[in-house]
Every structure is written in C-alpha cells, then in structure tokens.
Amino acid sequence: PRASEPAIGPICRNPLDPARTAGGSSGGAAAAVAAGIVAIAHATDAGGSIRVPAACCGLVGMKPTRGAIPGGPSFGNHLAGIASELAICRSVRDTALIFDRLSGKSRGPFPDPSPVDIDNRRLRIGLLVDTGSAYPTEDDRLAVVEDAARALESDGYEIVPLTWSEFEWSVAASGGTFADIVSVNLAALIKAAALDESRAEPLTQAFAARGRTLPATSLWKTLDDAVLVSRKLWALFDRVDCMLIPMLSSAPLAIGSFPTDHADTDLHLERMTAFAPLACLANISGFPALTLPFGQDEHAMPLPVQIMAPMGHEPRLLSLAARLEAEGRWQHRFPVAGLPS
C-alpha cells in the first residue's frame, strides 16, 4: 500500500519468537497452527511455501508429487505446475490423513498418483550435510540431519553419502526457473485481472516488469532446465530410495530480513535461496518433499530436517517421517485451542 493507506494487516510473527519470521509464503498458516489457534491449516508450496514456514515454526509440512492434489479447472496449471497444495500440520499423522483424503482425481495435465506400497526392505538413505560455500548451512542444522540419518541407520537402513556437487547445478537451475515462472505469472495475472499495479509494493512491481520483458526463448530455456533438474534427481534416486537433506540454513531470521520496498528481484531471490537452499528443488523437479522438526537449538527454536522421495512415493516419505517423529525430539509449545493440553 501507499504510505497514506492502511496496511493489509499486522506483521505475521513466529509464535516461538515474535522477533523472528514465521516463514513464507504460508507464514500465516504456520503461525496459526504453531500458536494452537487451529490444528491444521491449508497452505501452498511453489518454492518452499509449505515447508519453509513449517520448518520455522516447528511443524510438519509436505509438498506432494506434482499433480497429486486436485487444483480445479482454473488452478490445475497454476505457476506452470510448480505449485502444490496441501496443509501445514502438527503431526505426521495429520499430514498423512489429509494427503490420503485429498490426493487423486485431479483431472489435470498430470497423471493421478498410483498407490505405492511402503517397501520394507533395507532402504538406502541418501545423506547430504553440505550446502556449498555460496549457501552455507549452520553446523547445528547440518548436525541434526546427520542425527536423523543415524536414527534411521539404527533401524537397518543403509546411509549413502551425497555431495553438494551432485546438487549444485540443479539448485541454481531451480532458482532461475522459479524466478522466470513467478515473474511471467504475475505479469499475466495483473493484465488478465486489470489490476492497478501502481498500488503494489515496489518488489511486486519489479517482478511484474521482469515478467513482461522476459523473452519467450528465455522462458523456454528455463522450462527445459526444469526437465533436466528432474532427470538429474531421478539419476540420484537410482542410487538411493530417499534423501535426507537440510531444510533451513539458519534459525528463522529477524522480522524485516526480506524487505519488499526495493526493486532488486535478484537480491530478493538470492536471500530466499540462502535461507532455504534446497527448498525450490522439489517444486521445479516435481518430487515430493517433507520437513519436520528433529530437535531444538540453544534458543529453543526448531531444528528441521527435510526428506525427499521419488515421485509417487509419499507413503515412503510419511513412513520415514513418522519414524523420526517417534523419537520425540520436539514438543509443541502451545496446545490446540479447545483441546486438552
């Protein structure tokens, strides 16, 4: 809004530390669930927008396989397929239940998921505990990923070390694809709805302008890169059955760390990637990914981990998440309103 106009609403703060962000873009959903206002809240994930807020607030968030959740006739190709809908929850149980109830029969551009039985053989767990020098992750957040791997190893699963070099190109390509798709989509939305762009904040205007000036050949190249990202992940899943990787590079940042009062889109995207280096990878590739807390840091903020599985293997993802959740390394701070504490 303009300086003379009222804001849309108050700042969305993290219930675990009001000086910190609740994440985005489904930060309001995560804040409501973490505060106990509701037990579950709808959320969408186009670049980590379910998983990042869930990770910030000590919750469970899953981005399903592309096309697994119906989007409706006017929403089925939202953001060229990189966006998925589901919910932010307080437990793996609730996540599994809502996925079971909502998935399938999307009648969209992607095939419905086929139920995949949980494979009880000795799974190979790919372990990544490095996010490169450009996007370093704090030691305690890498250590908790390794802790989660050791917990699964104690069940007989095989741990397969992975290196940042196996992800680096895909992370960069995913960020570029995300930027182009979001920019073009925003420009098209403003035109189709005849919105008054001058009333938007500077960063929104800058992304719309970026979308209007992006050549079709550049958009085609970035969409082609998305296919290659997916193929590279499939190649990794030839060696492993699931991947255990970092979710956030640090504790939730201070309120104001992602300002929108400027027009530097590259800077904003760089800040997003630095905070969650591996978030966008699942959106661009189409693979399912889930985050859950697996401990807390010295400031009592959650230490999240992220699990990725091959397309259509949400049962495997949820099974491993339930196993880690059973360790009891995180307790919700606020009870759900109206329920016994």
Side-chain angles (χ1 to χ4, degrees), residues 22-310:
S25 59
S26 298
V33 175
I37 298 171
V38 292
I40 187 171
H42 169 256
T44 58
D45 193 317
S49 294
I50 289 175
R51 290 162 292 141
V52 170
C56 287
C57 297
L59 302 166
V60 179
M62 184 174 76
K63 185 214 81 77
T65 296
R66 182 171 297 160
I69 304 297
S74 299
F75 205 67
N77 197 34
H78 181 55
L79 290 172
I82 68 172
S84 295
E85 296 193 73
L86 198 61
I88 290 175
C89 307
R90 292 168 73 96
S91 68
V92 176
R93 178 203 64 185
D94 289 354
T95 305
L97 183 61
I98 193 169
F99 177 75
D100 177 69
R101 296 295 188 269
L102 295 183
S103 60
K105 300 181 180 179
S106 63
R107 301 171 65 90
F110 309 107
D112 276 358
S114 299
V116 178
D117 291 333
I118 297 171
D119 194 337
N120 290 323
R121 64 186 171 87
R122 189 184 184 201
L123 295 178
R124 300 163 298 171
I125 309 295
L127 173 63
L128 180 69
V129 286
D130 177 23
T131 53
S133 58
Y135 306 115
T137 294
E138 293 177 356
D139 289 344
D140 58 348
R141 284 156 202 283
L142 295 176
V144 77
V145 177
E146 195 159 12
D147 287 347
R150 301 303 165 225
L152 296 177
E153 187 177 38
S154 69
D155 287 350
Y157 297 130
E158 177 187 359
I159 304 301
V160 179
L162 301 173
T163 64
W164 177 247
S165 62
E166 297 175 283
F167 291 82
E168 190 170 11
W169 182 88
S170 296
V171 166
S174 294
T177 301
F178 173 83
D180 288 350
I181 289 175
V182 167
S183 299
V184 170
N185 179 267
L186 180 59
L189 176 65
I190 289 172
K191 181 178 181 180
L195 301 177
D196 181 1
E197 188 176 325
S198 67
R199 300 187 65 186
E201 54 197 357
L203 190 62
T204 301
Q205 295 183 44
F207 270 108
R210 179 178 181 150
R212 281 192 297 271
T213 58
L214 184 72
T217 51
S218 296
L219 181 60
W220 179 262
K221 171 62 168 59
T222 200
L223 294 175
D224 194 47
D225 281 349
V227 175
L228 298 178
V229 168
S230 186
R231 289 181 64 86
K232 283 182 176 292
L233 271 188
W234 274 121
L236 283 177
F237 281 118
D238 286 339
R239 294 165 43 206
V240 300
D241 301 300
C242 251
M243 295 192 295
L244 195 55
I245 59 180
M247 186 65 239
L248 302 179
S249 63
S250 70
L253 299 175
I255 294 290
S257 296
F258 298 92
T260 55
D261 59 352
H262 63 92
D264 193 336
T265 57
D266 287 337
L267 175 62
H268 189 76
L269 292 163
E270 188 71 9
R271 286 169 171 164
M272 289 173 58
T273 303
F275 184 48
L278 291 153
C280 217
L281 189 62
N283 302 96
I284 303 307
S285 67
F287 287 75
L290 180 150
T291 187
L292 77 159
F294 198 65
Q296 61 181 28
D297 64 17
E298 61 182 349
H299 302 294
M301 297 302 291
L303 290 172
V305 299
Q306 183 174 197
I307 316 171
M308 287 188 71

